[in-house]
Amino acid sequence: MRKASVIPVVLVLAALFGTQIVAANAELVTFRKLFGGSNPDIARGIFVDSNYIYVVGETGSFGPNTPNLFLSIFRLDNTHKCSVAVDLGSGIYERGWKVVAFGGNVYVVGDTDYGVNPPNILLIKFDTNCNVLGAAVYDVDGDDHPRGLTISADGQLLFVAGMSSSAAHLLAIRTSDLSVAWARLFGVAGGGDSANSVAFSGNKLYVTGRTFTGDLFVSRFDASSGNHEASKVFSTPQNEEGRDVIVAGGKVYVAGIYFDPVKLQEFLFLRLDTNLNLELAKTYGTNVIDDVLSLSMVGGLAYAVGRTDAFGTPDAALFAVNPSTGDLSHAFVLARDASVQIAQDSASAGTCLIYTGFSDNWPAYYGVLDTVTTGTISFTISSPSPSIATPSVTTASPTPSASSFTPTFDAPVGGDAFYSWFCPDALVVSTTTTSTVLTTATLSTTVTSVVGSTTTVYDVRTTTVTQTSVTTTTSSTTTTLTQSTTTTRTETTTLTQSTTYSTTTTLSTTLTLSTTTTLSTTTTSTQYFAEPVTTYVIPALLAVIAALLGASLVVGRRRRSLPY
């Protein structure tokens, strides 16, 4: 009986290991590319159109007088098209922050210590072969730090949002000659406000950021004139900040951070109408730092990307939210043991998210971030009248040097830039459930076996995973049988007297039958992740093995104690 009781354990283990073998041969449905040189290279901005992927940032590996601003262009099949490092001279730094493309031209905004009163805003115009077509430096007000970039629907105006010494700034710049069409300094709650993102929709500009007092704000401006139209401030006793804003389907969506007093820092998601009235507000996070920097709409979901410390070191994080309900759909990380991955910016490629950032090791693997909880948040909402000023912007037109280069791919040295595709349509393709009921009449006992699994870091692929749960129950039925017997006894005496005795015997027999019903339910799902990293999955397998062996020994002991 001992051998018979161990057989199910062996079969279950074989099924578990068989699943891993299937996963290893599954089709790869994501793409990750690391690129850089011998020194740190950091990607901060990304843009995607129907032809190319544009990535910008800061390179310490290429061009003279590093660090320099860089632009790398990739085709949609992920082949490298061109890369260039831009330098403004000895002792001068240049960093790229955001990028947009329109009509065969590429526009990169960043910062530099070139010019008077540095740092200043730097704008470079390229063609799609990474050739520099023009450059301009803008001194708005003391320390100028650009953070947001968008372009008008006709491609004639660029809009730059950021922070200057006295207030947040918002500039409209002509794409034809990089001249300033209009400029604004605005303080929603006084001096020191910071604008982090700007979105163009319906000839309106929507700006989000953080007030000097530590509250999230959203403002609306007329894109043609720069006139302020509305502002809302969303405050709690804690600090909160707007990091990115997008407009889709007539709604304004804001991704930000909320400094929770218990859970440290969380992802904050807001939905507003175009008049800035709040419709939905929720928080999402683990019990450690969760930071978001960018928001994109992909396949009907709002994707926020940034970082999480849930695995002990900073890893790139993706939070997918249903924009209608605010429910968390799923959360993933791009991670590697004892290394740093941080997502900085993202773009929508229709059904896929493409995002970029920095990694100091490779390859990195996708994992399910299953410790995220969702919370509600209540704001005190005000509608202040911001202080608005029209600064006198000083413009310079330097002649940069451009150094073309070909980066090294997927070979980290000192930290490199990366970008990755994430396609949520492939998360769960189909699910099939089959139930089978088996009934036997035997003496037995009740046994319930539950096989669990632990998910941590995965190489994302598509595979079919089959999970079977078996529950065995025992029921007893009591049947009473009644048997009646009648006996007639006749005796004859010399008196010829006949006496008849009637005897009735009732026999009551009780039989107990044990009926065992086994329900086997098999669920087959096509899932988006498989092939777990060995160091993570072995402890989980050992725990399952120990539990199953323990259960089998109990069954064996019980069977030996039963009478046969």
Side-chain angles (χ1 to χ4, degrees):
M1 294 301 297
R2 178 175 298 174
K3 292 181 179 179
S5 64
V6 176
I7 288 175
V9 180
V10 177
L11 293 177
V12 172
L13 294 180
L16 289 174
F17 286 112
T19 298
Q20 305 310 318
I21 294 171
V22 171
N25 297 322
E27 179 186 0
L28 187 67
V29 295
T30 61
F31 181 86
R32 288 152 288 172
K33 182 183 287 292
L34 187 80
F35 60 100
S38 58
N39 294 309
D41 303 292
I42 303 172
R44 291 195 176 93
I46 191 169
F47 185 82
V48 179
D49 61 19
S50 58
N51 296 308
Y52 303 114
I53 302 167
Y54 309 86
V55 180
V56 300
E58 171 187 345
T59 177
S61 304
F62 303 103
N65 309 308
T66 56
N68 294 317
L69 177 151
F70 83 84
L71 165 68
S72 290
I73 301 178
F74 299 88
R75 301 175 184 89
L76 295 182
D77 64 0
N78 300 304
T79 58
H80 177 249
K81 188 175 192 294
C82 60
S83 289
V84 62
V86 177
D87 175 56
L88 296 182
S90 177
I92 299 172
Y93 76 83
E94 306 83 20
R95 298 184 296 191
W97 283 94
K98 297 293 181 181
V99 56
V100 295
F102 187 94
N105 294 319
V106 185
Y107 306 92
V108 178
V109 70
D111 59 0
T112 179
D113 57 1
Y114 179 93
V116 297
N117 301 317
N120 293 315
I121 300 170
L122 172 62
L123 182 64
I124 307 290
K125 182 178 180 179
F126 301 87
D127 64 18
T128 54
N129 292 313
C130 296
N131 297 311
V132 174
L133 303 179
V137 174
Y138 309 92
D139 175 25
V140 181
D141 178 43
D143 294 346
D144 302 312
H145 300 277
R147 291 295 181 266
L149 176 67
T150 190
I151 193 167
S152 61
D154 58 9
Q156 295 185 12
L157 288 174
L158 294 167
F159 303 98
V160 178
M163 180 181 69
S164 295
S165 292
S166 64
H169 66 245
L170 184 61
L171 279 68
I173 300 172
R174 299 178 182 92
T175 57
S176 58
D177 58 3
L178 306 186
S179 63
V180 177
W182 54 259
R184 298 288 182 269
L185 285 171
F186 65 100
V188 178
D193 294 353
S194 172
N196 293 326
S197 178
V198 57
F200 176 92
S201 178
N203 205 39
K204 305 294 181 183
L205 296 175
Y206 298 86
V207 182
T208 191
R210 181 179 180 176
T211 69
F212 181 71
T213 54
D215 297 317
L216 184 151
F217 76 85
V218 183
S219 296
R220 191 183 74 212
F221 292 82
D222 181 87
S224 298
S225 63
N227 293 333
H228 173 264
E229 295 182 344
S231 285
K232 291 286 181 72
V233 174
F234 304 88
S235 62
T236 70
Q238 309 302 318
N239 289 335
E240 50 279 322
E241 179 176 354
R243 289 289 181 78
D244 199 9
V245 59
I246 58 176
V247 182
K251 301 295 181 182
V252 180
Y253 300 98
V254 176
I257 54 172
Y258 170 68
F259 293 87
D260 188 275
V262 176
K263 299 174 64 179
L264 302 181
Q265 186 172 304
E266 294 189 297
F267 161 38
L268 172 62
F269 179 75
L270 305 181
R271 187 184 74 230
L272 303 89
D273 63 20
T274 53
N275 292 318
L276 310 187
N277 297 309
L278 182 64
E279 296 181 344
L280 184 149
K282 286 192 175 182
T283 60
Y284 316 84
T286 62
N287 289 325
V288 294
I289 293 177
D290 303 292
D291 193 9
V292 298
L293 294 171
S294 178
L295 187 67
S296 297
M297 297 296 292
V298 177
L301 294 174
Y303 272 85
V305 303
R307 61 168 274 195
T308 180
D309 290 358
F311 289 171
T313 55
D315 293 308
L318 301 86
F319 300 91
V321 174
N322 184 324
S324 299
T325 63
D327 295 335
L328 181 71
S329 174
H330 51 271
F332 278 78
V333 294
L334 184 63
R336 183 182 173 93
D337 291 344
S339 62
V340 174
Q341 287 73 224
I342 298 176
Q344 297 273 13
D345 196 16
S346 65
S348 175
T351 59
C352 292
L353 178 78
I354 307 180
Y355 65 100
T356 193
F358 168 84
S359 175
D360 67 0
N361 210 337
W362 208 254
Y365 303 92
Y366 276 101
V368 179
L369 188 59
D370 56 2
T371 58
V372 179
T373 57
T374 302
T376 58
I377 186 169
S378 297
F379 290 110
T380 299
I381 303 174
S382 59
S383 302
S385 297
S387 60
I388 306 291
T390 301
S392 178
V393 180
T394 301
T395 304
S397 300
T399 301
S401 65
S403 302
S404 298
F405 66 91
T406 300
T408 301
F409 299 106
D410 301 327
V413 180
D416 289 319
F418 78 86
Y419 76 88
S420 178
W421 294 68
F422 186 86
C423 304
D425 282 356
L427 279 174
V428 176
V429 177
S430 63
T431 300
T432 303
T433 302
T434 303
S435 298
T436 304
V437 178
L438 303 174
T439 302
T440 59
T442 181
L443 293 175
S444 184
T445 184
T446 300
V447 179
T448 301
S449 299
V450 178
V451 179
S453 61
T454 299
T455 302
T456 175
V457 177
Y458 288 88
D459 186 9
V460 177
R461 300 170 184 262
T462 294
T463 187
T464 299
V465 180
T466 301
Q467 179 178 345
T468 302
S469 60
V470 178
T471 301
T472 303
T473 59
T474 300
S475 60
S476 297
T477 304
T478 301
T479 304
T480 301
L481 302 178
T482 302
Q483 180 180 349
S484 297
T485 303
T486 300
T487 303
T488 302
R489 182 178 178 182
T490 303
E491 294 182 0
T492 304
T493 65
T494 56
L495 296 177
T496 316
Q497 182 178 358
S498 178
T499 303
T500 301
Y501 299 90
S502 178
T503 302
T504 301
T505 302
T506 301
L507 175 62
S508 178
T509 303
T510 301
L511 299 178
T512 300
L513 300 179
S514 176
T515 301
T516 300
T517 301
T518 300
L519 174 63
S520 175
T521 301
T522 300
T523 301
T524 301
S525 300
T526 301
Q527 299 180 350
Y528 193 65
F529 52 91
E531 197 179 357
V533 176
T534 305
T535 55
Y536 284 83
V537 77
I538 283 179
L541 285 176
L542 292 177
V544 172
I545 291 170
L548 291 173
L549 287 175
S552 67
L553 292 176
V554 171
V555 172
R557 288 195 298 269
R558 289 179 174 173
R559 287 179 175 173
R560 287 193 297 272
S561 65
L562 294 173
Y564 287 91

